[in-house]
Amino acid sequence: MMQWANGTRWEMRTKLFIRTLEFLWQEGHPAHAIPEEAENEAIQMIDIYTKFAYEQAAISVIAGRKSKVETFVGANKTYTIEVMMGYKKALQAGTSHNLVQSFSRAFGTQFLDETGQMQHVWRTSSVISTRFVGGIIMTHGDDAGLMLPPRLAPIQVLIVPIWKKDEEKVVVLNAAFSVKEVLRTADDSEQRTPGWKFNFWEMRGDPLRIEIGPHDVSSESVMISRRDVPGMGSRE
């Protein structure tokens, strides 16, 4: 069984994404006929979480087995991925447990094997939750807001047209839209100032900003600012 489900727990001091009263998690509870299948499943799931962390979230994790003291209650083995966050603390971001037959015996979960005998199933459990979102924020973000890897950020480049005089507007917007045809994202709203747009998209983690003003149009250049490099951008 594989499902996404909401869970609740009593937390006197909550931390957004990390320890919350209500959380969303992906939960897998397969049942296996033999112990070898259960162990292979437990290892396979922690490998899947590791691959997702590296390839999608651009997060370096340490995958391994928990000590006996830290093993999930009722499990024979617990595997985990640990994320090293920006402030030098580790976060347990995903777990996979080999539950052997402890829970199937407790709840009487059995199957009829190929010899016609009733057997208790060998159980595994794997979990990744909204805590992983917190891991992404604390790994890639900074005090100014989010920084998101390319495969998670829906918008990669922001174009900000800048003008002061009405006669500059058409020229600047035409240049911005010509760039938009290539990059396909432009914040052409007239209700917000360029500074407001800079701050808004920076907090959202937009990795690249292109500014186009009258002088840029006349010189056939643009100002490019990278989210991960504070300060003024470079003119290209």
Side-chain angles (χ1 to χ4, degrees), residues 147-160:
M147 280 195 281
L148 299 175
R151 292 189 177 180
L152 297 184
I155 297 175
Q156 292 299 306
V157 180
L158 168 69
I159 305 170
V160 181

Side-chain angles (χ1 to χ4, degrees), residues 192-224:
R192 303 292 186 180
T193 64
W196 187 95
K197 295 176 185 178
F198 295 168
N199 183 66
F200 175 78
W201 290 99
E202 183 178 83
M203 288 191 298
R204 289 173 63 94
D206 187 61
L208 190 65
R209 184 176 74 241
I210 298 177
E211 305 164 26
I212 301 177
H215 296 296
D216 301 305
V217 176
S218 61
S219 63
E220 297 185 345
S221 64
V222 294
M223 177 70 79
I224 298 178

Side-chain angles (χ1 to χ4, degrees), residues 14 31 82 88 93 101:
T14 60
E82 304 286 328
K88 304 299 188 297
Q101 292 180 315

Side-chain angles (χ1 to χ4, degrees), residues 2-21:
M2 189 70 70
Q3 66 176 359
W4 279 96
N6 278 38
T8 57
R9 60 190 168 202
W10 180 251
E11 294 291 337
M12 294 185 65
R13 296 177 179 85
T14 60
K15 292 183 179 180
L16 186 61
F17 292 117
I18 307 304
R19 300 290 295 184
T20 54
L21 181 62

Side-chain angles (χ1 to χ4, degrees), residues 110-119:
Q110 295 178 290
F111 72 102
L112 191 67
D113 69 11
E114 57 188 10
T115 67
Q117 301 296 313
M118 294 298 294
Q119 304 286 350

Side-chain angles (χ1 to χ4, degrees), residues 110-149:
Q110 295 178 290
F111 72 102
L112 191 67
D113 69 11
E114 57 188 10
T115 67
Q117 301 296 313
M118 294 298 294
Q119 304 286 350
H120 288 92
V121 299
W122 298 81
R123 289 277 310 280
T124 58
S125 174
S126 56
V127 173
I128 195 168
S129 73
T130 43
R131 175 182 292 180
F132 195 86
V133 177
I136 293 172
I137 294 171
M138 290 186 288
T139 300
H140 294 300
D142 60 17
D143 291 342
L146 294 174
M147 280 195 281
L148 299 175

Side-chain angles (χ1 to χ4, degrees), residues 30-44:
H32 309 273
I34 58 177
E36 291 79 10
E37 287 182 357
E39 178 64 11
N40 290 339
E41 173 72 15
I43 294 174
Q44 176 179 283

